[in-house]
């Protein structure tokens, strides 16, 4: 079958890499893609939210499966667009509709959902510009640190962990009155701080049945030892030592099952990925957030560990046929190290020539912010490449990743040197 992947980052490259291995894949298209996806399939010059263009392309090219990478088109309603068209409604599309996508698009919506369906999460209250005085008073009663969250999508920047009352009150005013994040901060959640270790859990559901994919740990801060500002993600590892069998059983019974049942009870027809950002607080799982897509860079370590044919899995999810699906996961470790442009996550330059790509032999070179010009591959974003290594131990996988990194260079390239090191140090009882 012909398949279209929507998006242009490392996550979408990894989907393309895995989907291209399937017997079911004939033509593979990526819209808009990057310099790397062009070598696996065919890039299509369409924006991720150009639904009309995407719909027409799907019809013209006999595409039978559409995989939506980023949240933006989902929150804007790409599924709803397909379902409203008598030809496109027959296409298998992986991703929820506009209402389901609110689990990521609105933190207030997802908090109400969790509370209603008994999913463990941090205690929280929501305020608007009209109730800001109550919010400022409420902050005085809260323990510190305290977490403030803009309700809507804010490109990963809408969360502030305030250490003092003064900082918390200033942040609340900036978000609600100065509209720091535009419409995204029309509502602000004031949320209890959870002290624990974070874990990314991925579920693929057909609305009724589900498969839990390999878990991962993401490294969000720009600097070694988790210092500096938050980024989209600087590296990831899978499996994760502290995600023990006992903990994952709790995650399934306390988080995954009530989430899927909650979707059904609320009549949300959800066919797609749910990425659950969890905090492990003394062995108990608490949900920090839902995302309605796979993680980036987590996908770069999750998909390489899945042995099944990914196209079969995705089509079953889109067709409501996941019942009794057996996922086969490699016991090997996967690690990825993200190479970024100097200055990221602040301002950075583009169009630097990348050298050494062909010299990486053992690792998977995942393209993210790259573009091809004549015979050169140029940087075209903050996160430029991710280097995924595999091995029968975490140490070996990291060795493969970092060995690959050593081959690559461009002016201003930066990466974290400590991916996975915290887990290597971690002693479990
Ligand atoms: P989010 O955008 O919801 O993923 O939040 C960004 C980051 O802020 C998370 O990955 C956590 O590291 C941190 N965070 C969010 N909510 C909390 C919380 N309630 N307690 C502690 N840390 C949090
Ligand atoms: N790596 C976190 C995310 O994809 O949101």
């Amino acid at each position: 079958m012909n398949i279209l992947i929507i998006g242009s980052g490392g996550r979408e490259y990894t989907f393309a890499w895995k989907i291209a291995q399937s017997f079911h894949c004939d033509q593979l298209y990526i819209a808009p893609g990057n310099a790397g996806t062009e070598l696996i399939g065919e890039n299509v010059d369409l924006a991720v939210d150009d639904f009309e263009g995407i719909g027409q392309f799907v019809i013209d090219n006999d595409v039978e499966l559409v995989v939506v990478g980023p949240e933006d088109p989902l929150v804007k309603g790409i599924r709803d667009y397909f379902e409203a068209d008598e030809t496109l409604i027959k296409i298998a599309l992986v991703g929820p509709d506009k209402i389901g996508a609110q689990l990521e698009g609105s933190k207030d919506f997802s908090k109400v959902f969790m509370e209603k369906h008994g999913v463990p999460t941090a205690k929280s209250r929501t305020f608007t510009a009209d109730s800001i005085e109550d919010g400022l008073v409420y902050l005085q009663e809260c323990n510190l640190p305290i977490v403030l969250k803009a309700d809507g999508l804010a490109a990963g920047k809408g969360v502030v962990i305030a250490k003092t009352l003064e900082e918390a009150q200033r942040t609340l005013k900036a978000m609600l009155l100065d509209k720091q994040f535009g419409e995204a901060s029309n509502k602000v959640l004031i949320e209890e701080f959870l002290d624990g270790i974070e874990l990314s859990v991925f579920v693929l559901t057909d609305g009724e049945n589900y498969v839990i994919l390999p878990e991962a740990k993401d490294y969000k801060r720009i600097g070694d030892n988790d210092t500096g500002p938050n980024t989209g993600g600087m590296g990831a590892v899978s499996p994760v030592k502290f995600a023990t069998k006992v903990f994952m059983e709790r995650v399934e019974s306390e988080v995954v099952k009530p989430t899927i049942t909650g979707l059904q009870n609320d009549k949300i027809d959800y066919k797609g990925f749910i990425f659950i950002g969890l905090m492990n607080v003394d062995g108990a799982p608490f949900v920090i957030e839902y995302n309605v897509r796979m993680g980036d860079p987590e996908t770069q370590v999750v998909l390489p560990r899945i042995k099944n044919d990914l196209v079969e899995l995705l089509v079953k999810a889109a067709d409501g046929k996941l019942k009794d699906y057996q996922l086969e996961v490699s016991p090997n470790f996967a690690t990825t190290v993200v190479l970024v442009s100097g200055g990221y996550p602040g301002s950075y330059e583009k169009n630097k020539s990348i050298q050494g790509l062909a010299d990486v032999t053992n690792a998977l070179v995942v393209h993210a912010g790259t573009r091809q010009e004549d015979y050169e591959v140029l940087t075209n974003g903050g996160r430029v490449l991710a280097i995924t290594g595999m091995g029968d131990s975490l140490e070996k996988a990291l060795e493969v990743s970092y060995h690959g990194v050593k081959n690559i260079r461009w002016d201003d390239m930066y990466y974290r040197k400590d991916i996975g090191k915290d887990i290597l140090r971690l002693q479990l009882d």
Side-chain angles (χ1 to χ4, degrees):
M1 67 172 67
N2 296 344
I3 299 168
L4 171 66
I5 300 171
I6 312 250
S8 63
R11 167 183 48 213
E12 288 76 21
Y13 178 97
T14 314
F15 268 109
W17 168 82
K18 181 74 179 161
I19 283 173
Q21 296 167 26
S22 165
F23 291 119
H24 301 286
C25 179
D26 293 320
Q27 283 293 319
L28 176 61
Y29 301 104
I30 307 96
N34 57 40
T37 57
E38 180 71 28
L39 303 175
I40 302 177
E42 190 182 318
N43 287 350
V44 183
D45 190 15
L46 286 169
V48 300
D49 58 358
D50 177 3
F51 298 164
E52 239 171 79
I54 290 170
Q56 197 56 52
F57 182 87
V58 164
I59 292 168
D60 293 345
N61 294 277
D62 295 323
V63 169
E64 289 177 69
L65 171 66
V66 177
V67 183
V68 186
E71 64 277 15
D72 220 42
L74 295 167
V75 172
K76 287 183 179 154
I78 190 166
R79 170 175 286 279
D80 310 67
Y81 182 87
F82 271 58
E83 285 182 349
D85 182 293
E86 60 178 32
T87 313
L88 294 174
I89 196 170
K90 300 184 200 105
I91 311 297
L93 184 139
V94 182
D97 67 7
K98 217 171 172 169
I99 297 179
Q102 286 299 296
L103 282 184
E104 176 166 0
S106 165
K107 291 188 191 296
D108 185 49
F109 177 94
S110 72
K111 189 62 78 173
V112 170
F113 177 90
M114 286 186 256
E115 284 168 356
K116 179 171 169 195
H117 300 294
V119 178
T121 184
K123 282 194 200 63
S124 157
R125 280 183 59 184
T126 299
F127 296 91
T128 63
D130 289 338
S131 59
I132 185 160
E133 290 308 323
D134 297 340
L136 293 170
V137 172
Y138 175 66
L139 279 175
Q140 294 176 5
E141 302 162 17
C142 294
N143 292 329
L144 293 169
I146 183 82
V147 186
L148 289 99
K149 295 186 172 182
D151 172 56
L153 295 181
K157 297 191 178 109
V159 176
V160 172
I161 299 175
K163 294 192 183 63
T164 64
L165 176 61
E166 194 274 325
E167 185 191 359
Q169 292 186 326
R170 183 165 25 92
T171 304
L172 187 67
K173 284 182 199 160
M175 285 189 183
L176 286 177
L177 301 182
D178 308 338
K179 301 205 171 293
Q180 189 181 6
F181 300 108
E183 281 196 13
S185 61
N186 280 351
K187 290 183 192 171
V188 173
L189 282 74
I190 298 180
E191 182 172 299
E192 163 198 32
F193 178 80
L194 296 171
D195 199 3
I197 323 182
E198 261 179 272
L199 181 73
S200 303
V201 171
F202 302 96
V203 177
L204 180 62
T205 180
D206 62 7
E208 193 181 337
N209 312 286
Y210 62 85
V211 174
I212 301 181
L213 307 178
E215 78 285 353
K217 182 179 192 295
D218 173 23
Y219 291 78
K220 289 202 163 86
R221 302 295 192 96
I222 187 73
D224 284 3
N225 303 314
D226 292 330
T227 51
N230 257 327
T231 69
M234 296 295 291
V237 305
S238 176
V240 181
K241 190 152 76 174
F242 60 82
T244 58
K245 193 161 178 282
V246 172
F247 181 70
M248 290 309 286
E249 278 167 7
R250 284 192 70 170
V251 170
E252 179 163 13
S253 63
E254 293 171 32
V255 175
V256 177
K257 282 192 174 147
T259 298
I260 303 296
T261 314
L263 289 169
Q264 286 176 305
N265 289 346
D266 286 355
K267 309 249 174 318
I268 300 175
D269 180 22
Y270 197 112
K271 292 181 167 60
F273 292 101
I274 310 177
F275 158 5
I276 307 173
L278 282 178
M279 194 71 91
N280 175 338
V281 183
D282 297 327
F286 285 83
V287 176
I288 296 180
E289 61 168 353
Y290 290 116
N291 295 300
V292 297
R293 52 174 173 84
M294 283 297 289
D296 189 341
E298 289 97 324
T299 304
Q300 285 86 309
V301 293
V302 171
L303 294 189
R305 295 190 58 224
I306 294 179
K307 290 186 178 171
N308 311 58
D309 184 309
L310 190 63
V311 173
E312 247 170 64
L313 175 60
L314 296 171
V315 169
K316 278 188 193 295
D319 288 350
K321 294 191 176 139
L322 275 184
K323 193 166 168 29
D324 298 328
Y325 187 86
Q326 291 300 321
L327 192 73
E328 281 184 63
V329 176
S330 159
N332 278 341
F333 286 72
T335 59
T336 201
V337 176
V338 178
L339 309 184
V340 304
S341 301
Y344 172 83
S347 59
Y348 53 83
E349 288 179 25
K350 291 185 186 176
N351 300 316
K352 310 258 185 183
S353 174
I354 305 172
Q355 306 298 318
L357 287 166
D359 301 332
V360 181
T361 44
N362 286 334
L364 174 68
V365 178
V366 174
H367 285 245
T370 63
R371 73 181 181 88
Q372 177 99 31
E373 193 175 282
D374 301 325
Y375 293 102
E376 269 192 314
V377 176
L378 304 177
T379 65
N380 191 37
R383 293 193 292 172
V384 176
L385 297 166
I387 312 296
T388 296
M390 294 205 54
D392 59 11
S393 69
L394 182 56
E395 288 92 333
K396 284 191 189 150
L398 286 167
E399 221 174 274
V400 176
S401 282
Y402 278 109
H403 187 75
V405 169
K406 288 263 167 336
N407 288 289
I408 294 180
R409 65 208 166 272
W410 72 83
D411 182 25
D412 261 2
M413 177 178 113
Y414 170 81
Y415 59 94
R416 272 180 68 161
K417 318 285 183 296
D418 67 335
I419 303 303
K421 284 204 178 141
D422 55 337
I423 297 187
L424 289 177
R425 280 194 302 265
L426 198 71
Q427 299 292 326
L428 288 186
D429 304 331

